[in-house]
Amino acid sequence: IEGNLIVPRFSIFIKIKGEKNIMKKFIAIIMAVIMVMSFATIAFAANGFTDVSKSRYETAIDELYDLGIVNGYSATKFGTDYTLTRAEACAIIVRALYGEKTVPDVINFTDVSYRDWFYDYVNTAVYYDIMHGHNATTFAPNDEITYDQMATLVLNALGYNAPQLAGEWPVNIERIATRLGLYTNIPIYFSGSE
């Protein structure tokens, strides 16, 4: 297993160690979202999702749903058995940070159309420099997001910048994410490990 494992749609309960002056509510929401996307095999909740009832994630999903941060694939299906895509991860982080705020158009990816449901989320994430394209011309919105990509997204959202993220990706991200506890209880091997 390598550091580029995909993030299942329901794996979010991580702690951040050592950081004092970061907005606790924001961290709780973001961390809840990230780990809610990992280990799920779950079955009717107050929000109507039949695939989350009696799950250890049920409360987190209900609260994130009530806050407008996550939604389901239908009125009855949250999608706990699906893997989180780059577009979905982007939408979750943008909703948590900015709600439905719109910003000036800054993207020109060939695989993100103005008609796509995720266009405004991708545009907002790029505008605020919290998520970037897969390369200069594509975003790869339907690709499964990896743990390292998700950690990068979270660290960018928390305000980490180039000097703090110095080094080669993903080793630089793994170093900080590990220090903050983002990979706690996630069975992965990092880029530098054997």
Side-chain angles (χ1 to χ4, degrees):
I1 302 174
E2 296 181 11
N4 66 349
L5 290 175
I6 55 175
V7 178
R9 184 159 162 82
F10 206 85
S11 71
I12 284 193
F13 287 106
I14 47 185
K15 332 178 251 191
I16 293 192
K17 300 183 267 185
E19 293 294 316
K20 300 265 187 212
N21 296 323
I22 300 175
M23 299 175 292
K24 290 181 182 180
K25 184 174 182 179
F26 168 74
I27 292 173
I29 290 171
I30 298 302
M31 296 305 110
V33 171
I34 295 168
M35 294 328 289
V36 165
M37 312 304 171
S38 206
F39 310 105
T41 307
I42 338 178
F44 187 43
N47 57 32
F49 298 133
T50 58
D51 59 344
V52 298
S53 108
K54 298 185 181 21
S55 158
R56 66 180 175 164
Y57 305 112
E58 183 177 3
T59 301
I61 291 173
D62 287 345
E63 290 186 25
L64 293 170
Y65 178 81
D66 290 345
L67 291 169
I69 295 171
V70 298
N71 53 34
Y73 286 91
S74 73
T76 59
K77 185 172 184 76
F78 178 75
T80 57
D81 55 341
Y82 297 156
T83 302
L84 195 67
T85 66
R86 287 175 47 85
E88 291 167 336
C90 182
I92 290 167
I93 295 294
V94 168
R95 285 184 201 125
L97 292 172
Y98 308 107
E100 298 296 328
K101 181 178 182 178
T102 57
V103 297
D105 286 342
V106 294
I107 61 171
N108 193 24
F109 297 122
T110 59
D111 58 352
V112 178
S113 166
Y114 184 73
R115 292 179 296 267
D116 291 326
W117 70 265
F118 49 81
Y119 178 88
D120 287 332
Y121 299 116
V122 171
N123 188 60
T124 301
V126 171
Y127 180 84
Y128 286 112
D129 202 30
I130 59 173
M131 195 165 186
H132 308 282
H134 188 66
N135 58 42
T137 59
T138 62
F139 185 78
N142 297 314
D143 284 5
E144 296 171 331
I145 193 163
T146 67
Y147 280 106
D148 288 337
Q149 290 170 348
M150 192 68 181
T152 302
L153 177 57
V154 171
L155 292 176
N156 287 339
L158 291 173
Y160 283 85
N161 55 35
Q164 295 162 312
L165 299 176
E168 187 175 331
W169 190 88
V171 175
N172 58 343
I173 296 300
E174 292 165 353
R175 178 178 41 82
I176 294 171
T178 299
R179 181 174 58 89
L180 295 177
L182 297 181
Y183 292 131
T184 301
N185 299 321
I186 298 174
I188 61 175
Y189 297 92
F190 299 115
S191 302
S193 64
E194 299 282 324

